[in-house]
């Protein structure tokens, strides 16, 4: 191993090893203190989980369930040592986290001596304030998830599972990890104000980028909530609205610090509060009064009446103050009012600080050209702005402003920003001259030139480093070096480009089918299929088959995956239809585009026929055999919902897929793939099928082979069918060469 490294690398490794040894020796006397903190955190967490936490999490889980549903929900351990190992794992994590601050504290002198300690000019009280703000935001995020979001979510999931005859019996590891990870996600989401503000202040990401891209941020929040929260609109809004409000607060805080930095003015919180004491005090009183009035003057009853309305039909309710917290209503109402008053006071204080900064900035805006906000100018204003406004501008900022102008459909303004930046910063080299010519061409060329030349200029500047991986795949003439990469990159790019203009239709078909399938399953289809299969299982079982959900969202995740599979299958004919001309031009297929109708009809018939065969005979037969075998062994028949449902899919949809393999091989031969290719490539096909089976089947060798053998058998049937229809390969079904491409 050492011989494979050069002398410099070995010397660097040796020096690093010696430095690490010296560092550990220097802090050896303090490591015992750090270990004591770690051990204390580990033992305290282990004890708290055993005595308090499990019961508390159980109460959180069942707090929004009806008594009937709560009686059916249960938490189980599936292995003898599962609970104690989980407690030990959580204790280790908490102990390590608790030991990090004292470890940093005792090593500060050594880190400073080795130049590894940051020399920040920021005052300690400011750093402490940032740390407290981060801890407060994290705590608020976790509290929102545990006290507001989880009760509603678990209530919905358990009730939905029982409607589909799925027992909400959660495995303790999956249940705990689900709560912990989702709580951490809420806590980390609470750090959004600090993240956005820090990136804006450090100019890693311009504040204008966060401001101009707010629509994409809101869309991402709603999409994330749609995937990771139950398919209940009220729950999704409960996820998305707080995060959207938090993003708005992040923008406001980032604007505050960026304005202070650009104006070189100091943030005076106390002075701003004194200047606007009436507004801050009024907002603070308003926050407390709103909460008090909501509970005392019928607000809670009105909202609960709306939630009970048939059009909403939500099981979530606003509880009385202190409900579930062990506090009397009067005390709880006072705590709520004070908490909201403080939150409103913070917002009012931030407004006061920003107002003072904005007023100070406006006082010299007309005397200081660098204070001009270029994003607020039009194209003529950009060209008339003084050069000092662009002299202090960095290239990434100019690119962000130009990109924002293009997205606002203002190409002339975007070109003016780039031209003025190049004019003022003439020392950037050849890129300025080239871009200037491109800008002139873009301006002269109208909209098309603006879309091509200007956006090309923006992209080229943004990637000025130049030598990318794709650039290495091209020769001096700009053409892809097909001999080096086998032509696959060029072929795939050509095919994907042909689909780009039709992407909306393809995505629309996929979305409609996926939504319809998910809605059907969600509205009772899952329970209907489960009961129908159980009724037709050829075995006498007392009490039927019990299906349990070990993970809280296991049934919902299955429905999403199955709906996605159906959406892909439905969109495939459209993809094939729109890609056929490109496939034919690159030599992958032969014949006219109307052959797609043959493909879609043949594959659809094979899939439907296979599914019907599997659902009517194969699935009940296999499930009945497994159930009978377990009953003869005197076992309690309890299947995990994902395993049972995927067994149903493999024995229904899987049969249709097996039927489509020989059909697809005949169609490919008709499209130009010779019989000899299928016969000679059976080894590669076998390896590919085994890889796919290893990825998409449970982690078990026997299961992998159980999936591989039927696929290879179907491939063998396809080769036999091709042997017959092509007379051993002497006459392929593809059209003669003179008809290809017509």
């Amino acid at each position: 191993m050492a011989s494979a490294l050069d002398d410099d690398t070995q010397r660097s490794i040796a020096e690093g090893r010696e430095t690490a040894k010296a560092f550990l020796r220097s802090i050896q006397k303090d490591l015992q203190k750090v270990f004591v903190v770690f051990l204390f955190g580990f033992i305290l967490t282990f004890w708290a989980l055993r005595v308090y936490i499990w019961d508390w999490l159980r109460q959180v889980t069942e707090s929004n369930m009806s008594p009937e549903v709560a009686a059916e929900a249960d938490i189980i351990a599936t292995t003898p040592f599962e609970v104690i190992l989980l407690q030990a794992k959580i204790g280790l994590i908490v102990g390590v986290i608790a030991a990090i601050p004292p470890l940093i504290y005792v090593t500060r002198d050594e880190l400073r001596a080795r130049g590894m300690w940051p020399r920040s000019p920021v005052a300690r009280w400011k750093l402490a304030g940032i740390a407290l703000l981060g801890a407060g935001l994290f705590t608020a995020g976790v509290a929102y998830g545990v006290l507001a979001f989880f009760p509603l979510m678990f209530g919905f999931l358990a009730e939905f599972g029982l409607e589909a005859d799925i027992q909400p019996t959660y495995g303790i590891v999956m249940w705990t990890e689900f709560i912990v990870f989702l709580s951490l996600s809420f806590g980390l989401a609470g750090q959004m104000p600090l993240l956005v503000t820090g990136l804006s202040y450090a100019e890693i990401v311009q504040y204008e980028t966060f401001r101009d891209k707010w629509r994409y941020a809101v869309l991402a929040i709603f999409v994330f909530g749609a995937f990771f929260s139950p398919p209940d609109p009220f729950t999704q809004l409960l996820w998305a609205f707080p995060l959207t409000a938090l993003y708005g607060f992040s923008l406001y805080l980032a604007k505050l610090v960026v304005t202070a930095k650009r104006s070189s003015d100091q943030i005076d919180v106390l002075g701003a509060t004194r200047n606007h004491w009436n507004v801050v005090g009024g907002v603070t009183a308003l926050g407390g009064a709103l909460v008090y009035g909501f509970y005392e003057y019928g607000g809670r009853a009105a909202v609960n009446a709306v939630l009970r309305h048939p059009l909403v039909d939500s099981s979530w309710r606003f509880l009385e103050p202190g409900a579930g917290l062990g506090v009397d209503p009067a005390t709880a109402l006072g705590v709520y009012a004070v908490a909201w008053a403080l939150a409103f006071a913070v917002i009012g204080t931030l407004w006061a600080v920003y107002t003072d900064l904005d007023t100070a900035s406006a006082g010299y805006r007309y005397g200081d050209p660098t204070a001009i906000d270029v994003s607020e100018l039009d194209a003529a204003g950009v060209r008339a702005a003084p050069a000092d406004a662009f002299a202090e501008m960095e290239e990434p900022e100019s690119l962000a402003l130009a990109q924002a102008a293009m997205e606002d459909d203002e190409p002339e303004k975007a070109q003016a920003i780039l031209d003025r930046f190049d004019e003022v910063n003439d020392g950037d080299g050849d890129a300025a001259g080239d871009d200037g010519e491109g800008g002139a061409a873009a301006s002269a060329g109208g909209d098309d030139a603006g879309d091509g030349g200007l956006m090309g200029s923006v992209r080229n500047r943004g990637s000025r480093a130049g030598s990318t991986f794709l650039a290495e795949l091209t020769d001096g003439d700009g053409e892809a070096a097909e001999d080096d990469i086998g032509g696959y990159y060029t072929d795939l790019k050509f095919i994907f480009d042909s689909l780009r203009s039709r992407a909306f239709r393809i995505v629309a078909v996929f979305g409609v089918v996926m939504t319809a399938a998910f809605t059907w399953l969600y509205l009772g289809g899952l329970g209907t299929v489960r009961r129908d299969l159980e009724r037709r299982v050829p075995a006498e079982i007392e009490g039927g088959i019990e299906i349990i959900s070990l993970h809280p969202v296991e049934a919902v995740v299955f429905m999403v995956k199955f709906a996605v599979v159906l959406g892909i299958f439905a969109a495939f004919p459209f993809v094939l239809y729109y890609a056929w001309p490109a496939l034919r031009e690159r030599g992958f297929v032969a014949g006219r585009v109307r052959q797609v109708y043959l493909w879609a009809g043949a594959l659809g018939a094979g899939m439907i026929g296979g599914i019907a065969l599997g659902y009517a005979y194969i699935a009940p037969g296999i499930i009945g055999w497994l159930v009978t075998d377990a009953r003869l062994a005197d076992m309690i028949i309890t299947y995990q919902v994902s395993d049972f449902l995927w067994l149903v899919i493999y024995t229904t949809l899987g049969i249709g897929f097996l039927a489509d393999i020989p059909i697809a091989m005949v169609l490919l031969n008709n499209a130009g793939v010779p019989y000899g290719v299928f016969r000679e490539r059976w080894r590669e096909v076998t390896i590919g099928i085994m890889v796919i089976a290893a990825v998409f089947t449970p982690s078990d060798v026997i299961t992998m082979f159980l999936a591989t053998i039927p696929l290879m058998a179907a491939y063998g049937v396809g080769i036999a069918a091709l042997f017959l229809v092509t007379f051993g390969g002497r006459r392929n079904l593809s059209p003669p060469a003179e008809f290809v491409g017509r």
Side-chain angles (χ1 to χ4, degrees):
M1 180 67 180
S3 60
L5 304 176
D6 55 30
D7 295 337
D8 293 337
T9 304
Q10 295 185 38
R11 191 179 303 109
S12 299
I13 294 175
E15 291 176 357
R17 187 182 299 114
E18 292 301 323
T19 301
K21 290 180 179 178
F23 182 80
L24 291 175
R25 284 196 298 268
S26 64
I27 64 171
Q28 186 174 5
K29 62 180 183 300
D30 296 317
L31 287 180
Q32 295 178 352
K33 303 175 184 177
V34 176
F35 179 75
V36 169
V37 174
F38 162 78
L39 190 61
F40 179 77
F42 172 79
I43 295 176
L44 181 63
T45 303
F46 198 95
W47 172 79
L49 284 169
R50 189 177 187 87
V51 177
Y52 296 109
I53 303 299
W54 296 135
D55 293 336
W56 178 67
L57 291 180
R58 180 67 178 263
Q59 293 175 4
V60 169
T61 301
E62 298 179 355
S63 60
N64 204 57
M65 297 180 184
S66 63
E68 297 78 12
V69 175
E72 298 292 336
D74 204 358
I75 312 296
I76 64 171
T78 58
T79 62
F81 300 101
E82 197 168 29
V83 177
I84 193 170
L85 290 178
L86 179 61
Q87 293 178 177
K89 184 192 298 185
I90 297 175
L92 287 173
I93 295 174
V94 174
V96 169
I97 294 175
I100 289 177
L103 178 63
I104 296 176
Y105 180 79
V106 300
T107 59
R108 65 190 187 283
D109 294 333
E110 296 297 329
L111 293 173
R112 187 180 293 111
R114 289 169 171 79
M116 302 170 63
W117 188 265
R119 304 180 182 275
S120 175
V122 182
R124 290 186 177 181
W125 70 269
K126 292 183 179 180
L127 293 175
I130 294 174
L132 289 176
L133 178 60
L137 290 171
F138 183 86
T139 303
V142 172
Y144 173 79
V146 172
L147 300 179
F149 188 77
F150 282 136
L152 175 65
M153 190 175 191
F154 277 112
F156 166 82
L157 292 173
E159 188 172 352
F160 164 75
L162 287 176
E163 290 177 355
D165 290 339
I166 299 173
Q167 192 75 15
T169 307
Y170 306 140
I172 188 169
V173 174
M174 297 181 183
W175 171 68
T176 305
E177 289 179 350
F178 176 75
I179 295 177
V180 170
F181 286 131
L182 206 55
S183 299
L184 287 177
S185 72
F186 276 108
L188 294 176
Q191 306 302 305
M192 190 188 301
L194 289 181
L195 178 64
V196 173
T197 303
L199 293 175
S200 301
Y201 185 82
E203 296 184 350
I204 297 174
V205 179
Q206 296 293 328
Y207 160 74
E208 289 76 12
T209 302
F210 288 116
R211 181 195 63 191
D212 298 336
K213 305 292 186 182
W214 68 269
R215 298 176 183 85
Y216 301 101
V218 173
L219 178 62
I221 289 172
F222 274 88
V223 170
F224 190 83
F227 277 99
F228 293 95
S229 64
D232 173 50
F234 188 78
T235 311
Q236 293 175 7
L237 294 179
L238 198 66
W239 167 282
F241 277 178
L243 294 184
T244 303
L246 196 62
Y247 187 79
F249 177 72
S250 304
L251 288 180
Y252 190 85
L253 195 61
K255 187 175 183 179
L256 177 69
V257 298
V258 169
T259 302
K261 180 181 180 182
R262 292 177 179 175
S263 64
S264 300
D265 198 7
Q266 295 295 325
I267 296 178
D268 186 5
V269 178
L270 295 179
T273 305
R274 285 194 300 268
N275 294 337
H276 304 278
W277 64 269
N278 53 341
V279 176
V280 175
V283 169
T284 302
L286 177 64
L290 286 176
V291 175
Y292 183 82
F294 176 81
Y295 283 101
E296 288 295 316
Y297 296 100
R300 184 177 70 89
V303 173
N304 286 340
V306 173
L307 295 175
R308 284 191 294 267
H309 194 275
L311 294 178
V312 180
D313 193 23
S314 175
S315 59
W316 195 81
R317 299 288 183 272
F318 275 98
L319 303 177
E320 293 184 1
L325 301 179
V327 182
D328 63 277
T331 304
L333 182 57
V335 173
Y336 294 170
V338 170
W340 278 93
L342 291 176
F344 274 60
V346 171
I347 296 175
T349 303
L350 291 175
W351 173 86
V353 172
Y354 176 73
T355 301
D356 280 4
L357 284 174
D358 193 46
T359 303
S361 301
Y364 63 81
R365 176 166 295 176
Y366 299 102
D368 185 3
T370 61
I372 294 177
D373 190 352
V374 177
S375 64
E376 297 180 356
L377 304 176
D378 57 9
V382 171
R383 293 192 177 92
D388 293 342
F390 298 92
E392 300 295 329
M393 186 180 295
E394 299 291 337
E395 186 176 17
E397 184 180 356
S398 69
L399 292 176
L401 292 172
Q403 182 72 30
M406 289 298 300
E407 293 176 354
D408 292 336
D409 197 20
E410 296 180 312
E412 186 179 356
K413 175 182 174 180
Q415 188 62 61
I417 293 172
L418 296 180
D419 290 344
R420 290 305 310 280
F421 180 81
D422 290 339
E423 177 186 339
V424 175
N425 301 276
D426 196 24
D428 283 350
D430 296 334
D434 295 341
D435 294 339
E437 296 174 3
S443 299
D447 294 339
D448 294 338
D451 292 341
L454 176 56
M455 289 309 296
S457 173
V458 173
R459 295 190 186 98
N460 290 336
R461 294 166 187 240
S463 58
R464 188 169 289 178
S467 179
T468 62
F469 173 73
L470 293 180
E472 296 177 359
L473 298 180
T474 61
D475 54 20
D477 297 331
E479 298 178 355
E482 296 189 11
D483 293 339
D484 296 335
I485 59 176
Y488 290 124
Y489 168 75
T490 303
D491 292 338
L492 292 176
K493 184 177 183 300
F494 182 79
I495 294 169
F496 284 124
D497 287 342
S498 69
L499 293 172
R500 186 176 302 171
S501 62
R502 308 293 184 179
F504 178 78
R505 298 182 182 180
I506 296 172
V507 173
V509 172
F510 168 79
V512 168
V513 174
M514 185 188 74
T515 303
F518 180 85
T519 304
W520 174 71
L521 291 172
Y522 170 67
L523 295 178
L526 189 64
T528 300
V529 172
R530 177 241 193 275
R531 288 187 291 269
D532 183 64
L533 280 174
E534 183 181 281
R535 185 174 63 252
R536 293 186 296 107
V537 166
E540 294 296 334
I541 306 167
E542 297 179 2
I545 305 172
E546 184 179 0
I547 308 298
I548 65 173
S549 177
L550 292 180
H551 194 282
V553 295
E554 191 171 10
V556 177
V557 169
F558 168 80
M559 291 191 299
V560 172
K561 290 181 177 180
F562 182 67
V564 168
V565 170
L566 291 184
I568 293 174
F569 181 75
F572 175 74
F574 293 87
V575 173
L576 191 62
Y577 179 82
Y578 292 126
W580 191 274
L583 290 168
R584 184 176 58 190
E585 184 171 340
R586 305 306 291 186
F588 286 102
V589 297
R592 297 180 179 180
V593 70
R594 64 168 174 250
Q595 286 202 10
V596 174
Y597 302 125
L598 174 64
W599 280 60
L603 293 176
M607 178 64 71
I608 294 173
I611 291 175
L613 176 65
Y615 189 80
Y617 299 103
I618 298 177
I622 292 179
I623 295 173
W625 173 70
L626 295 173
V627 169
T628 304
D629 187 55
R631 174 58 65 190
L632 292 176
D634 221 10
M635 297 180 180
I636 299 175
I637 305 171
T638 303
Y639 294 151
Q640 189 175 347
V641 59
S642 60
D643 292 337
F644 178 79
L645 293 177
W646 281 118
L647 174 62
V648 174
I649 295 301
Y650 290 146
T651 53
T652 55
L653 191 66
I655 302 302
F657 183 74
L658 291 177
D660 271 346
I661 291 178
I663 297 174
M665 294 171 66
V666 174
L667 292 173
L668 287 171
N669 184 262
N670 187 60
V673 181
Y675 161 77
V677 172
F678 292 106
R679 185 188 62 191
E680 295 170 1
R681 299 290 183 179
W682 68 270
R683 298 177 182 85
E684 290 86 343
V685 173
T686 302
I687 294 175
I689 290 175
M690 294 185 68
V691 170
I692 294 174
V695 173
F696 291 100
T697 58
S699 54
D700 182 82
V701 176
I702 298 178
T703 308
M704 184 182 71
F705 278 106
L706 287 176
T708 302
I709 293 174
L711 291 172
M712 288 306 303
Y715 188 78
V717 172
I719 292 179
L722 282 178
F723 181 84
L724 295 176
V725 299
T726 62
F727 300 104
R730 290 188 293 272
R731 184 187 67 83
N732 289 304
L733 299 180
S734 58
E738 60 266 23
F739 292 100
V740 175
R742 291 189 178 180

